[in-house]
Every structure is written in C-alpha cells, then in structure tokens.
Amino acid sequence: MKNIIVVLITLVSTAVNGQNETKNVLFLGNSYTSYNNLPQMVATIATSMGDTLNWDIEAPGGYYLYDHLTSTTSVNKIAAGNWDYVVLQDQSQLPSFPPSQVATMSLPYAMALADTIYKYNNCGSPLFFMTWGRKNGDASNCANYPPVCTYTGMQGRLRSSYLLMGSQNNAPVSPVGAVWRDFIALNPSVELYSTDESHPNINGSYLAACAFYASIYHQSPVGAWKPTAMDSTLAHSIQAQANTTVFDSLNVW
C-alpha cells in the first residue's frame, strides 16, 4: 500500500507540474517559421524537458495568411485534425502596416483560418506567432508609414496587430517579438539577426523556440537543451528572458 501511495503522489506531482505532456502542433508561416528549423528546435527543447512535440510545417518563403487560406496543402494539413495548436504567422511586414491596411489584408484571413482550425480540431486552437521588427526598421515602407522607420516602431505595430488577431479569434499569441524586444534591451551586444537584418540567426531562432515552448506547454524553458555551439551563459539568458516575458504577462498573451 505504501508503494502505491508513493506512485500516486508522483503521478499527481507530475500532472501538476505539467511535465510529460505531448502536444501536436502544425506550423503555418513562411521563412521566419522555417529558418534554422524552428519547429525541430521547439521539439528538441520539449524532449529535453520531458515533453513531446509532434509537428508538421507548411512555410513557403514570403507566404501571407491569405496564401495559406487558399493553399490546398495548408488547408488539408489543418483538416487532418488532432492539432492542439496551429501556429499562424503572417508575412513579416504586413502586420506592421497601418491599421486600415491590416484590417483588409490580414485580419479577415486570420479569422477565416481560425474558423477552419476550430472546425476540424475540436480541442485545438490557433496560436498566433508575434514576429519581431527588422533590425533598423522597414526602409522600403518608411516613407509611406513613418511608424515602421525604426525597430521600436515596427515592433510596436506587430505587437498590436498580433494581439488583435488573438483577441478577435479567442486564441493565444506566442509573444516571440516581445521576448526579442526585451532581450535586446538588456543584451544590446548580442546579435539575433542574420546579415539581412530581417531573418533570425541561430540565436534569434533559439529565442523564438524558447518562447514557443513556454507558450505551448506553459512551462519554463530554463534548463532546456541548447544548440551545441551556443555559449551556456547566452543560452541561459535567452531561456530566462523567454520565461520572464511570457509568464509575466500571460493575461496579455
């Protein structure tokens, strides 16, 4: 009897701590989602923390939410069902554009995709991927819309648009862009961008993966796997920032 009680206590403790969870996640986006094999990074982090991530991806370069809505491949993957989350990432610049433009070019397709996700996944939900602003803002659109002329302005618009998508569709947001912003503020010498000042380098993708682990499993990524070539101190700083940003504002995301 004593052994049975110990086993039951262990099982209850495991359930409360949220460990040994299996999640099925479909990633729909573009190169920001596929760079450095982000979904596999999340899966490797999950494994290192005692969890399991089963995943699939559809992320052609430059894709908009509209493209996924009209893609037979994307819709069929959604309709396969059994997803706990379907990650939705729009084209990297569009959600930073003026609200009137986002309202016509982004929000309707976010809603249509969310409706499709809910239709085929009774226990599943969209998970919106809040991306990061470009390192020095969006030079190609700066003249037409000054808020995107700087990283800070572009990041603010991305944050607002993705939070609106989440609110309109009763869905959570993975605040990758917010983690990125907070990490840069404290670690300005650490590079998160690749040479194009838009896509992530390995540090940026690892930051995104830690944020996604926290958002999907509601568990801290502190102590998780890190890429082999990454300095342990840097990895811990990234993990800690993802933990702080995600869990300090869960009611927002």
Side-chain angles (χ1 to χ4, degrees):
M1 178 63 74
K2 188 174 182 179
N3 289 339
I4 293 175
I5 291 173
V6 170
V7 171
L8 287 175
I9 290 173
T10 302
L11 290 174
V12 170
S13 175
T14 299
V16 170
N17 291 332
Q19 294 301 296
N20 301 312
E21 287 190 85
T22 296
K23 297 292 186 182
N24 302 315
V25 179
L26 171 63
F27 292 81
L28 299 181
N30 50 55
S31 56
Y32 273 32
T33 295
S34 63
Y35 244 56
N36 298 310
N37 203 353
L38 173 61
Q40 183 56 57
M41 272 195 180
V42 182
T44 305
I45 289 172
T47 298
S48 74
M49 301 300 279
D51 298 311
T52 301
L53 180 71
N54 300 315
W55 60 272
D56 196 0
I57 184 173
E58 180 66 12
Y63 252 42
Y64 292 73
L65 292 181
Y66 168 81
D67 294 312
H68 284 293
L69 182 64
T70 56
S71 163
T72 300
T73 300
S74 296
V75 172
N76 283 346
K77 285 179 183 286
I78 294 172
N82 200 37
W83 301 114
D84 294 296
Y85 293 108
V86 177
V87 173
L88 297 177
Q89 181 235 324
D90 207 345
Q91 192 270 348
S92 61
Q93 296 157 288
L94 177 54
S96 71
F97 289 172
S100 59
Q101 195 167 351
V102 174
T104 58
M105 297 180 64
S106 186
L107 299 183
Y109 307 115
M111 188 169 293
L113 283 166
D115 288 345
T116 305
I117 292 163
Y118 287 127
K119 176 181 178 181
Y120 291 106
N121 298 270
N122 291 334
C123 296
S125 168
L127 176 60
F128 288 97
F129 179 175
M130 180 196 296
T131 53
W132 51 88
R134 294 187 173 184
K135 186 174 183 178
N136 292 299
D138 185 354
S140 62
N141 290 289
C142 173
N144 295 323
Y145 190 52
V148 302
C149 292
T150 64
Y151 160 76
T152 301
M154 186 177 184
Q155 187 61 63
R157 284 294 303 128
L158 289 167
R159 173 190 171 99
S160 296
S161 293
Y162 276 106
L163 288 179
L164 181 57
M165 291 181 211
S167 175
Q168 288 186 341
N169 296 287
N170 193 31
V173 176
S174 184
V176 176
V179 178
W180 192 290
R181 176 204 61 201
D182 294 345
F183 184 83
I184 287 176
L186 295 174
N187 305 273
S189 64
V190 176
E191 186 61 75
L192 300 179
Y193 296 90
S194 61
T195 54
D196 67 2
E197 300 188 344
S198 173
H199 290 88
N201 64 13
I202 192 70
N203 299 333
S205 290
Y206 183 67
L207 180 149
C210 287
F212 268 112
Y213 175 77
S215 295
I216 291 168
Y217 291 93
H218 295 169
Q219 294 292 326
S220 171
V222 173
W225 163 89
K226 70 172 185 65
T228 303
M230 183 176 288
D231 176 79
S232 296
T233 301
L234 173 58
H236 178 78
S237 295
I238 291 173
Q239 295 164 2
Q241 190 60 67
N243 178 66
T244 298
T245 302
V246 172
F247 293 113
D248 277 1
S249 302
L250 271 179
N251 61 319
V252 176
W253 321 128

